[in-house]
């Protein structure tokens, strides 16, 4: 059994007052949502393994915005043995306190990147995606789910507008689209994406 510890806030990417306010709002939301998202996480993990097609037990995967160990557990159940989780606010020793805008991993550290409902929280979408691309090996796989067509706010800052908007946003980084679907069954609508980064 893993020893519990107090929540740990990541070292911030920037020190200006606007970014510090953003960090505080995101940390508070993370703390409130620690037990949500189970169905979406499980569904995206399954989609990743189905569309990626590589042997999962040979891949290093990064889970961004893990919130708690549920996301890590689901990825392990899907077959990934080497799973690393990060979040701005770490609530468990297995989750590294780290800002997705300025990760401390070396370049090309991961074969796959998993992001379920956290890209919309980016303070700076371009900086965030460049950082994701930096830590992903060429030809690595990204699995992303995010809400679209909603009213942005202090925590949900980025709305790419839909499937085409996400594809446009990811275009500089993605070499092959394996799956992309928009669903309006929920409110707000969501886009689910699996693709390979450029080689």
């Amino acid at each position: 059994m893993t020893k519990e510890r107090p929540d740990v806030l990541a070292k911030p990417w920037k020190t200006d007052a606007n970014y510090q306010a953003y960090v505080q709002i995101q940390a508070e939301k993370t703390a409130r949502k620690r037990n949500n998202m189970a169905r979406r996480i499980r569904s995206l993990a399954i989609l990743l393994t189905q569309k990626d097609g590589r042997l999962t037990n040979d891949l290093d995967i990064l889970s961004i915005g893990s919130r708690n160990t549920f996301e890590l557990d689901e990825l392990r159940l899907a077959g990934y043995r080497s799973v690393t989780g990060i979040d701005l606010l770490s609530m468990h020793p297995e989750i590294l306190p780290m800002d997705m805008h300025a990760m401390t991993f070396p370049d090309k550290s991961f074969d796959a990147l998993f992001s379920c409902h956290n890209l919309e929280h980016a303070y700076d979408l371009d900086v965030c995606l460049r950082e994701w691309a930096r830590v992903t090996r060429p030809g690595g796989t990204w699995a992303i789910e995010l809400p679209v067509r909603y009213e942005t706010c202090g925590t949900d800052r980025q709305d790419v507008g839909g499937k085409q908007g996400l594809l446009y946003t990811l275009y500089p980084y993605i070499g092959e689209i394996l799956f992309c679907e928009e669903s309006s069954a929920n409110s707000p609508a969501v886009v689910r994406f699996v693709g390979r980064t450029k080689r």
Side-chain angles (χ1 to χ4, degrees):
M1 181 164 192
T2 307
K3 184 179 174 186
E4 292 297 323
R5 64 140 198 250
D7 296 345
V8 178
L9 193 61
K11 179 181 176 188
W13 165 54
K14 295 172 81 173
T15 57
D16 66 74
N18 289 338
Y19 190 73
Q20 293 303 312
Y22 156 83
V23 167
Q24 188 60 41
I25 291 168
Q26 294 297 349
E28 289 169 4
K29 182 171 184 174
T30 297
R32 285 193 313 269
K33 294 219 165 215
R34 74 172 65 201
N35 294 317
N36 291 353
M37 304 287 295
R39 180 185 55 79
R40 288 182 171 168
I41 290 167
R42 184 171 293 127
S43 176
L44 187 60
I46 291 168
L47 183 65
L48 172 60
T49 57
Q50 289 173 343
K51 300 301 178 183
D52 190 343
R54 295 179 288 179
L55 293 174
T56 56
N57 60 1
D58 293 336
L59 305 179
D60 296 315
I61 187 165
L62 175 62
S63 170
I64 296 184
S66 303
R67 296 176 190 86
N68 56 42
T69 58
F70 181 82
E71 194 162 297
L72 307 181
D73 294 341
E74 284 300 313
L75 289 166
R76 288 178 184 125
L77 283 172
Y80 294 95
R81 283 192 304 203
S82 178
V83 180
T84 302
I86 68 165
D87 206 320
L88 194 57
L89 177 68
S90 171
M91 298 181 201
H92 193 277
E94 272 196 274
I95 298 169
L96 302 173
M98 200 175 296
D99 191 324
M100 66 181 171
H101 297 86
M103 293 182 272
T104 57
F105 303 115
D107 294 355
K108 303 174 185 172
S109 292
F110 298 97
D111 299 296
L113 188 143
F114 186 88
S115 168
C116 190
H117 286 257
N118 59 62
L119 188 57
E120 68 273 17
H121 303 299
Y123 186 80
D124 186 316
L125 197 54
D126 292 331
V127 169
C128 184
L129 290 172
R130 280 195 307 270
E131 187 67 356
W132 289 17
R134 182 187 70 77
V135 301
T136 306
R137 293 181 182 119
T141 307
W142 287 3
I144 301 168
E145 180 175 311
L146 76 164
V148 292
R149 294 191 307 282
Y150 63 92
E151 188 173 335
T152 58
C153 63
T155 55
D156 300 330
R157 300 174 51 91
Q158 309 291 335
D159 180 6
V160 297
K163 174 182 171 179
Q164 292 306 318
L166 179 63
L167 293 175
Y168 177 81
T169 302
L170 297 178
Y171 176 77
Y173 311 101
I174 298 298
E176 181 183 2
I177 299 165
L178 302 174
F179 179 87
C180 192
E181 171 186 84
E182 184 173 334
S183 170
S184 57
N186 301 310
S187 181
V190 298
V191 174
R192 299 167 75 214
F193 169 88
V194 179
R196 293 199 197 283
T197 58
K198 291 182 177 176
R199 295 188 180 274

